[in-house]
Amino acid sequence: MNILDKQNQVISMLKESKKVLVAFSGGIDSTLVLKLAVDTLGTQNVKAVVANSVLFTQVEFDQAVGLGKTMGVEVIQTEIDYLTNESIKYNKPTSWYWMKKLFYQRLNEIAKEEQVDAVLDGMIMDDQQDFRPGLRARDEEGAISLLQAADFYKSDVRNLATQLGLKNWNKVASCSVSSRFPYNTELTVVAIERLKQAEAFLRSLGFATVRVRVQDLTARIEVPLTQVNELIQQAGQINAQLKEYGYQFVTVDLQGFKSGRMNDQLSNEVKNALVD
C-alpha cells in the first residue's frame, strides 16, 4: 500500500466520527494525526489534549501547546501526577503500562466532558516492534491508533508530514525521563529535575539526541556514535557542569545512543507477561 492509500485510509476512518480528541505530544506522529483530523473534520470538531507531568520536560509541554494552537484547534491542558502510583514511583517494569493506563483514563474523562466520539493517539507500526506495554492499556481504554491501523511506519509518517508541510517532520522523539533510571529504584523529584538539567545542558551544546542514564549519582551519557568524539572533546566542560548539578561521576557510553536501553535487562518472559 503506497503512502496515498494509507492517507486515504486514515481519512476514511476519521469520517466515521463527527468530533475527536487527539492525544497530542508535539511529536511528529501525533502532529500528523492532528493535521489529518483538522483537514478532514475541521478545527471546530477537533480538540488536542496535552498532558504535563514531572516525568516530561516543561519545554516539550510548552512547545506542544504552542504547536497545537498554531494548527487552529482548542488545546486542552491537563496535568497527571504519575508518581502517586506505586508502580511508577518505584520504576517497576509495570510502570510503562500504568503510565499509559492513567494517561488514557484521563483522556476518556476529558472526552466524556467534551462529548467527542473518539480518542485518537499517534501510535505507529514501529511501536509494535518494541517493548510497549502501553499498547495493552490503549486497547483496554478504547483509544484508536489511526496511523497504526493504516500501516504507517516512521518513514511513512515523515514522508507524508513533509508533503503536508509539517515543519517538525524530523523532530527527535522524546520519552518519559523514568527511562533513564534503573528499574526498581525510587523516582524522586530531586533526581528527576537533576536529570532534566543535565540533558537540557547537553542539548544546548548541540546534542539533540541524548540520554543521561542514571545509577545513583553516576551519569552515563549516550549520544549517537557519530557524536561520541565531539562529546569527549567537550569532556571538561560537561564533567564540571554535571557535577555542579550533583552527580559525583560522569561517564560516556561507548556503545552510543540506544532507545529503550534500560529494557535490555528484562527477560523475554517478563516482557511478554507485561504486554499480553
Side-chain angles (χ1 to χ4, degrees):
M1 189 160 56
N2 62 39
I3 192 69
L4 180 59
D5 291 334
K6 294 182 180 185
Q7 179 182 2
N8 287 334
Q9 186 173 342
V10 171
I11 292 171
S12 177
M13 289 185 286
L14 280 165
K15 288 180 178 178
E16 295 175 5
S17 300
K18 292 182 178 180
K19 294 184 178 181
V20 298
L21 195 71
V22 177
F24 189 61
S25 67
I28 188 54
D29 302 330
S30 61
T31 300
L32 181 59
V33 172
L34 187 60
K35 169 66 174 173
L36 293 173
V38 166
D39 289 352
T40 304
L41 301 175
T43 55
Q44 71 277 13
N45 296 315
V46 180
K47 297 178 187 291
V49 176
V50 183
N52 204 0
S53 162
V54 69
L55 296 180
F56 296 86
T57 70
Q58 187 66 37
V59 171
E60 288 281 343
F61 175 78
D62 292 341
Q63 288 178 345
V65 171
L67 179 57
K69 289 180 178 178
T70 64
M71 295 176 73
V73 301
E74 178 185 350
V75 179
I76 300 171
Q77 303 175 43
T78 189
E79 179 123 12
I80 303 177
D81 187 359
Y82 289 111
L83 296 186
T84 59
N85 179 285
E86 292 289 294
S87 183
I88 300 171
K89 180 179 179 180
Y90 291 99
N91 210 27
K92 303 290 185 182
T94 54
S95 64
W96 295 106
Y97 165 80
W98 284 109
M99 274 189 277
K100 287 298 186 181
K101 185 74 170 178
L102 295 177
F103 178 62
Y104 287 120
Q105 286 178 339
R106 178 64 57 84
L107 290 174
N108 281 335
E109 291 170 1
I110 296 172
K112 185 177 181 179
E113 294 170 0
E114 299 294 333
Q115 298 182 317
V116 301
D117 304 316
V119 172
L120 312 178
D121 70 13
M123 291 285 191
I124 59 176
M125 291 302 293
D126 303 62
D127 294 316
Q128 291 188 327
Q129 299 172 353
D130 198 358
F131 174 58
R132 290 285 191 274
L135 294 174
R136 178 160 63 95
R138 175 204 61 188
D139 294 342
E140 290 172 354
E141 296 301 322
I144 301 171
S145 303
L146 293 178
L147 298 180
Q148 202 172 82
D151 202 40
F152 269 82
Y153 288 85
K154 182 65 77 175
S155 58
D156 299 318
V157 171
R158 296 199 190 283
N159 185 353
L160 183 56
T162 303
Q163 293 180 34
L164 296 176
L166 297 178
K167 294 181 179 180
N168 64 340
W169 66 271
N170 63 343
K171 186 178 185 297
V172 175
S174 60
C175 179
S176 166
V177 298
S178 62
S179 66
R180 280 60 148 183
F181 296 88
Y183 283 122
N184 301 309
T185 59
E186 182 178 2
L187 302 179
T188 67
V189 173
V190 170
I192 290 169
E193 292 304 326
R194 181 190 298 124
L195 169 71
K196 288 180 182 178
Q197 284 182 305
E199 290 193 345
F201 173 68
L202 289 162
R203 283 192 293 270
S204 76
L205 296 180
F207 301 101
T209 300
V210 63
R211 294 287 186 271
V212 175
R213 307 292 185 188
V214 177
Q215 181 73 51
D216 298 321
L217 291 178
T218 296
R220 190 181 78 249
I221 303 170
E222 291 181 16
V223 296
L225 277 175
T226 55
Q227 288 191 293
V228 168
N229 286 338
E230 182 183 348
L231 183 76
I232 292 174
Q233 288 171 5
Q234 302 180 67
Q237 179 186 6
I238 293 170
N239 185 62
Q241 188 61 62
L242 266 60
K243 284 188 173 179
E244 177 126 344
Y245 294 145
Y247 293 108
Q248 292 180 355
F249 305 99
V250 181
T251 67
V252 176
D253 194 319
L254 297 179
Q255 295 183 82
F257 169 79
K258 178 184 177 183
S259 181
R261 175 66 58 79
M262 290 302 187
N263 292 327
D264 290 348
Q265 63 186 276
L266 300 179
S267 68
N268 288 332
E269 183 180 3
V270 169
K271 289 181 180 179
N272 291 335
L274 292 171
V275 298
D276 292 338

